[in-house]
Amino acid sequence: RTDSMVVVAVGPSRWIARVSMTNTPIRPGPLSASARKSWSPTCASGVGDVVGLGARDGGDDDNQRRRIAVIGGGAAGLAAAKVFLENSAVFDVCVFEARANVGGVWDYNAAQNSANKRLVDIRKDNGAPLPSPMYRSLRTNLPREVMAYMSFPFASDAEFVRDARRYPTHEEVQRYLEAYADAFHLNKHIRLDTEVVKITRSETRVTNLGPAWDVLTNNGTMDTFDAVVVANGHYALPRIPSQLTIEQGAPSLVVHSVHYNDADHDAFRNKRVVVVGTGASGVDIAMEVAEYADEVILCYRRQSMAESTSSCSGNPIELGPTRGTRNNIRDARVAPTHVAKDGTLTFEDGSVLARGDFAAEDVVVVLATGYHVSFPFLDADNISWDDNNVRPLVEHIFPTQGDIGPTLSFIGLPWKVVPFPLFECQALWISKLLAGDTSATMPSDVVIKESVNAGRPAHHSHMLGDLQWDYNLNLLSLAGISSSSARQMHRSWRQRMYDASGRNKRARGDHYRDESPFDELDL
């Protein structure tokens, strides 16, 4: 009976399409001219039609182009656009960027941030739009050679270069990204000042790899795409430690590093500053405010709350020896959990730091505790992202539940990585699957299950660290790139220089950026 028949279309991988279960064909509703041009039925039956993304069968090339929406014009979104447009006979790409320029987090407007970036206590945050997490003095924590895309060297003698140092400023990275966009002619495919506010399954259109998607923007435009690549970064919402409590009426200033402004010296002058978090931003902030503060305590956790003991309860906290150019930075291997009204801090092991000679209002806590990922434009039907654990995903990219298939993907979730080349590897695999390239494959169900259930703390689900190199090579293999070609693309010198950079940072501490012995390496 045709009114109960199920028609299944199997794509070039494991994905199975959603199709009509009635005798009413699925056909597009009113679409823009460009959408009408890109729509072409590739699997029609008397029961239902599956459209777009079908096998290329020698028809009109224009009608076969697959419309790809990329959400975000930062480093990840640019990499996606570049990789897809290398196959422009197959893909028509549109990048949506909410800012007025490409670059994402690297697009730091100095004048705007100097005027608007002020320290905001987390208790008084009124929900106003957040400033860029970038700060004026920021320099990269990776050598420029390592940071570079595989396809575009970050050379110190390139035409765009204004800062040739191995660890350049954020302005230099922004110039590099703009040069990348120019070199691969990406700008004409980017809609600036256009924020995506909603992505929903198209009710009038499906593909043989999964649903098509309606993309609504803040400008009121709605367009339909065969696939969506989410590349909006992971510096969206400040992450405030859930265990931190602040006593009512405490005058101490407690801020997140997103509001840090290195020009706001008076906020730290002659104060006790407690910086929580020893990532790149936490260390940089501690070093900078130490030039003005009386004392800086840099806190980091060596054990989880479950592993910590109460044997130090009520005892003074143990601090490391002083260091820094003014000899006023000390390390604490625990994180604060309570700020009292008089400025006393209690830490996760029960130890305390009395305010001593400092007035309560002279205690400043800076939370360099990272960010939550956020996808406010997505419905959480088949995917969730609480506690920075975007799941369930295969290889940190494709949702594995439901019938979404590869038509929705994520680029840029892994962290503690060299991001730019990783973005290109992810984009290459996505593009090969969406193009129907038979050399591209999906992992087996066993591997997928293992990748979903990695057994890590939730907020570390996407942390790779030393696993990033094998991860990148595996993505290239899944994209159908031979082992020898993959290793040529993902050159081993990058890993050696990355490792040497880490050793140099540990050995030279605060001065690692300007004392890098990489000329001695055989790269």
PDB file of all heavy atoms in Angstrom, residues 43 57 103 117 155 168 181 210-211 261 288 321 337 399 459 469 491:
ATOM      1  N   CYS A  43      16.350  11.580  -6.712  1.00  0.00           N
ATOM      2  CA  CYS A  43      15.777  10.263  -6.439  1.00  0.00           C
ATOM      3  C   CYS A  43      14.272  10.438  -6.330  1.00  0.00           C
ATOM      4  O   CYS A  43      13.782  10.939  -5.329  1.00  0.00           O
ATOM      5  CB  CYS A  43      16.352   9.673  -5.145  1.00  0.00           C
ATOM      6  SG  CYS A  43      15.623   8.098  -4.708  1.00  0.00           S
ATOM      7  N   ASP A  57      24.839  12.653 -11.703  1.00  0.00           N
ATOM      8  CA  ASP A  57      24.524  11.697 -12.763  1.00  0.00           C
ATOM      9  C   ASP A  57      24.698  12.283 -14.151  1.00  0.00           C
ATOM     10  O   ASP A  57      24.116  11.816 -15.110  1.00  0.00           O
ATOM     11  CB  ASP A  57      23.097  11.177 -12.589  1.00  0.00           C
ATOM     12  CG  ASP A  57      22.075  12.313 -12.527  1.00  0.00           C
ATOM     13  OD1 ASP A  57      22.478  13.469 -12.746  1.00  0.00           O
ATOM     14  OD2 ASP A  57      20.887  12.029 -12.275  1.00  0.00           O
ATOM     15  N   GLY A 103      37.525  36.940  10.774  1.00  0.00           N
ATOM     16  CA  GLY A 103      38.554  36.783  11.804  1.00  0.00           C
ATOM     17  C   GLY A 103      38.051  36.258  13.122  1.00  0.00           C
ATOM     18  O   GLY A 103      38.836  35.785  13.945  1.00  0.00           O
ATOM     19  N   LYS A 117      35.336  48.270  26.982  1.00  0.00           N
ATOM     20  CA  LYS A 117      35.700  47.107  27.782  1.00  0.00           C
ATOM     21  C   LYS A 117      36.043  47.537  29.197  1.00  0.00           C
ATOM     22  O   LYS A 117      37.075  48.162  29.436  1.00  0.00           O
ATOM     23  CB  LYS A 117      36.871  46.361  27.138  1.00  0.00           C
ATOM     24  CG  LYS A 117      37.019  44.932  27.622  1.00  0.00           C
ATOM     25  CD  LYS A 117      37.969  44.169  26.734  1.00  0.00           C
ATOM     26  CE  LYS A 117      38.012  42.699  27.122  1.00  0.00           C
ATOM     27  NZ  LYS A 117      38.872  41.909  26.256  1.00  0.00           N
ATOM     28  N   ALA A 155      54.245  33.122   7.027  1.00  0.00           N
ATOM     29  CA  ALA A 155      55.650  33.506   6.889  1.00  0.00           C
ATOM     30  C   ALA A 155      55.911  34.867   7.526  1.00  0.00           C
ATOM     31  O   ALA A 155      55.044  35.738   7.551  1.00  0.00           O
ATOM     32  CB  ALA A 155      56.051  33.522   5.419  1.00  0.00           C
ATOM     33  N   PRO A 168      53.724  36.365  17.367  1.00  0.00           N
ATOM     34  CA  PRO A 168      53.273  37.723  17.033  1.00  0.00           C
ATOM     35  C   PRO A 168      52.046  38.140  17.846  1.00  0.00           C
ATOM     36  O   PRO A 168      51.464  37.366  18.604  1.00  0.00           O
ATOM     37  CB  PRO A 168      52.924  37.611  15.553  1.00  0.00           C
ATOM     38  CG  PRO A 168      52.472  36.194  15.396  1.00  0.00           C
ATOM     39  CD  PRO A 168      53.330  35.388  16.344  1.00  0.00           C
ATOM     40  N   ALA A 181      41.799  34.880   3.449  1.00  0.00           N
ATOM     41  CA  ALA A 181      40.516  35.091   2.767  1.00  0.00           C
ATOM     42  C   ALA A 181      40.720  35.707   1.395  1.00  0.00           C
ATOM     43  O   ALA A 181      40.040  35.344   0.419  1.00  0.00           O
ATOM     44  CB  ALA A 181      39.608  35.964   3.623  1.00  0.00           C
ATOM     45  N   GLY A 210      20.392  13.249   4.393  1.00  0.00           N
ATOM     46  CA  GLY A 210      19.809  13.776   5.619  1.00  0.00           C
ATOM     47  C   GLY A 210      18.959  14.990   5.296  1.00  0.00           C
ATOM     48  O   GLY A 210      18.731  15.323   4.128  1.00  0.00           O
ATOM     49  N   PRO A 211      18.469  15.685   6.319  1.00  0.00           N
ATOM     50  CA  PRO A 211      17.582  16.829   6.076  1.00  0.00           C
ATOM     51  C   PRO A 211      18.311  18.013   5.455  1.00  0.00           C
ATOM     52  O   PRO A 211      19.522  18.188   5.640  1.00  0.00           O
ATOM     53  CB  PRO A 211      17.082  17.181   7.482  1.00  0.00           C
ATOM     54  CG  PRO A 211      18.151  16.684   8.392  1.00  0.00           C
ATOM     55  CD  PRO A 211      18.693  15.451   7.760  1.00  0.00           C
ATOM     56  N   ASN A 261      40.812  44.267  30.721  1.00  0.00           N
ATOM     57  CA  ASN A 261      41.319  45.333  29.866  1.00  0.00           C
ATOM     58  C   ASN A 261      42.691  45.720  30.396  1.00  0.00           C
ATOM     59  O   ASN A 261      42.814  46.260  31.495  1.00  0.00           O
ATOM     60  CB  ASN A 261      40.369  46.540  29.899  1.00  0.00           C
ATOM     61  CG  ASN A 261      40.808  47.650  28.956  1.00  0.00           C
ATOM     62  OD1 ASN A 261      41.904  47.610  28.389  1.00  0.00           O
ATOM     63  ND2 ASN A 261      39.958  48.651  28.791  1.00  0.00           N
ATOM     64  N   GLU A 288      50.822  40.556  33.696  1.00  0.00           N
ATOM     65  CA  GLU A 288      50.585  41.971  33.429  1.00  0.00           C
ATOM     66  C   GLU A 288      50.146  42.725  34.679  1.00  0.00           C
ATOM     67  O   GLU A 288      50.660  43.808  34.964  1.00  0.00           O
ATOM     68  CB  GLU A 288      49.544  42.122  32.318  1.00  0.00           C
ATOM     69  CG  GLU A 288      50.081  41.694  30.960  1.00  0.00           C
ATOM     70  CD  GLU A 288      49.097  41.957  29.848  1.00  0.00           C
ATOM     71  OE1 GLU A 288      47.996  42.491  30.128  1.00  0.00           O
ATOM     72  OE2 GLU A 288      49.413  41.657  28.686  1.00  0.00           O
ATOM     73  N   PRO A 321      56.998  29.838  46.053  1.00  0.00           N
ATOM     74  CA  PRO A 321      57.913  30.973  46.206  1.00  0.00           C
ATOM     75  C   PRO A 321      57.538  32.123  45.283  1.00  0.00           C
ATOM     76  O   PRO A 321      56.876  31.924  44.258  1.00  0.00           O
ATOM     77  CB  PRO A 321      59.271  30.380  45.840  1.00  0.00           C
ATOM     78  CG  PRO A 321      58.955  29.205  44.962  1.00  0.00           C
ATOM     79  CD  PRO A 321      57.659  28.653  45.477  1.00  0.00           C
ATOM     80  N   THR A 337      36.952  28.636  46.471  1.00  0.00           N
ATOM     81  CA  THR A 337      35.541  28.244  46.407  1.00  0.00           C
ATOM     82  C   THR A 337      34.628  29.231  47.119  1.00  0.00           C
ATOM     83  O   THR A 337      33.415  29.167  46.951  1.00  0.00           O
ATOM     84  CB  THR A 337      35.342  26.852  47.040  1.00  0.00           C
ATOM     85  OG1 THR A 337      35.836  26.878  48.382  1.00  0.00           O
ATOM     86  CG2 THR A 337      36.071  25.787  46.249  1.00  0.00           C
ATOM     87  N   PRO A 399      26.803  14.594  14.232  1.00  0.00           N
ATOM     88  CA  PRO A 399      25.830  13.980  15.150  1.00  0.00           C
ATOM     89  C   PRO A 399      25.575  12.527  14.757  1.00  0.00           C
ATOM     90  O   PRO A 399      25.543  12.188  13.567  1.00  0.00           O
ATOM     91  CB  PRO A 399      24.573  14.832  14.974  1.00  0.00           C
ATOM     92  CG  PRO A 399      25.065  16.128  14.409  1.00  0.00           C
ATOM     93  CD  PRO A 399      26.247  15.785  13.566  1.00  0.00           C
ATOM     94  N   HIS A 459      33.479  18.136  30.649  1.00  0.00           N
ATOM     95  CA  HIS A 459      34.024  19.353  30.059  1.00  0.00           C
ATOM     96  C   HIS A 459      35.374  19.129  29.381  1.00  0.00           C
ATOM     97  O   HIS A 459      35.931  20.050  28.803  1.00  0.00           O
ATOM     98  CB  HIS A 459      34.125  20.462  31.115  1.00  0.00           C
ATOM     99  CG  HIS A 459      35.036  20.144  32.261  1.00  0.00           C
ATOM    100  ND1 HIS A 459      34.660  19.309  33.284  1.00  0.00           N
ATOM    101  CD2 HIS A 459      36.298  20.547  32.543  1.00  0.00           C
ATOM    102  CE1 HIS A 459      35.652  19.203  34.156  1.00  0.00           C
ATOM    103  NE2 HIS A 459      36.651  19.940  33.724  1.00  0.00           N
ATOM    104  N   TRP A 469      47.567  14.853  16.742  1.00  0.00           N
ATOM    105  CA  TRP A 469      48.303  14.512  15.522  1.00  0.00           C
ATOM    106  C   TRP A 469      47.703  13.274  14.864  1.00  0.00           C
ATOM    107  O   TRP A 469      47.488  13.247  13.638  1.00  0.00           O
ATOM    108  CB  TRP A 469      49.779  14.316  15.857  1.00  0.00           C
ATOM    109  CG  TRP A 469      50.295  15.408  16.731  1.00  0.00           C
ATOM    110  CD1 TRP A 469      50.626  15.331  18.054  1.00  0.00           C
ATOM    111  CD2 TRP A 469      50.485  16.786  16.362  1.00  0.00           C
ATOM    112  NE1 TRP A 469      51.017  16.558  18.527  1.00  0.00           N
ATOM    113  CE2 TRP A 469      50.944  17.471  17.516  1.00  0.00           C
ATOM    114  CE3 TRP A 469      50.322  17.501  15.185  1.00  0.00           C
ATOM    115  CZ2 TRP A 469      51.232  18.831  17.506  1.00  0.00           C
ATOM    116  CZ3 TRP A 469      50.611  18.866  15.167  1.00  0.00           C
ATOM    117  CH2 TRP A 469      51.054  19.504  16.327  1.00  0.00           C
ATOM    118  N   ARG A 491      52.751  17.831   7.969  1.00  0.00           N
ATOM    119  CA  ARG A 491      54.192  17.614   8.102  1.00  0.00           C
ATOM    120  C   ARG A 491      54.610  17.399   9.557  1.00  0.00           C
ATOM    121  O   ARG A 491      54.137  18.072  10.457  1.00  0.00           O
ATOM    122  CB  ARG A 491      54.951  18.798   7.502  1.00  0.00           C
ATOM    123  CG  ARG A 491      54.682  18.984   6.011  1.00  0.00           C
ATOM    124  CD  ARG A 491      55.366  20.228   5.474  1.00  0.00           C
ATOM    125  NE  ARG A 491      54.989  20.490   4.094  1.00  0.00           N
ATOM    126  CZ  ARG A 491      55.584  19.962   3.031  1.00  0.00           C
ATOM    127  NH1 ARG A 491      56.586  19.121   3.208  1.00  0.00           N
ATOM    128  NH2 ARG A 491      55.192  20.252   1.815  1.00  0.00           N
TER     129      ARG A 491
END
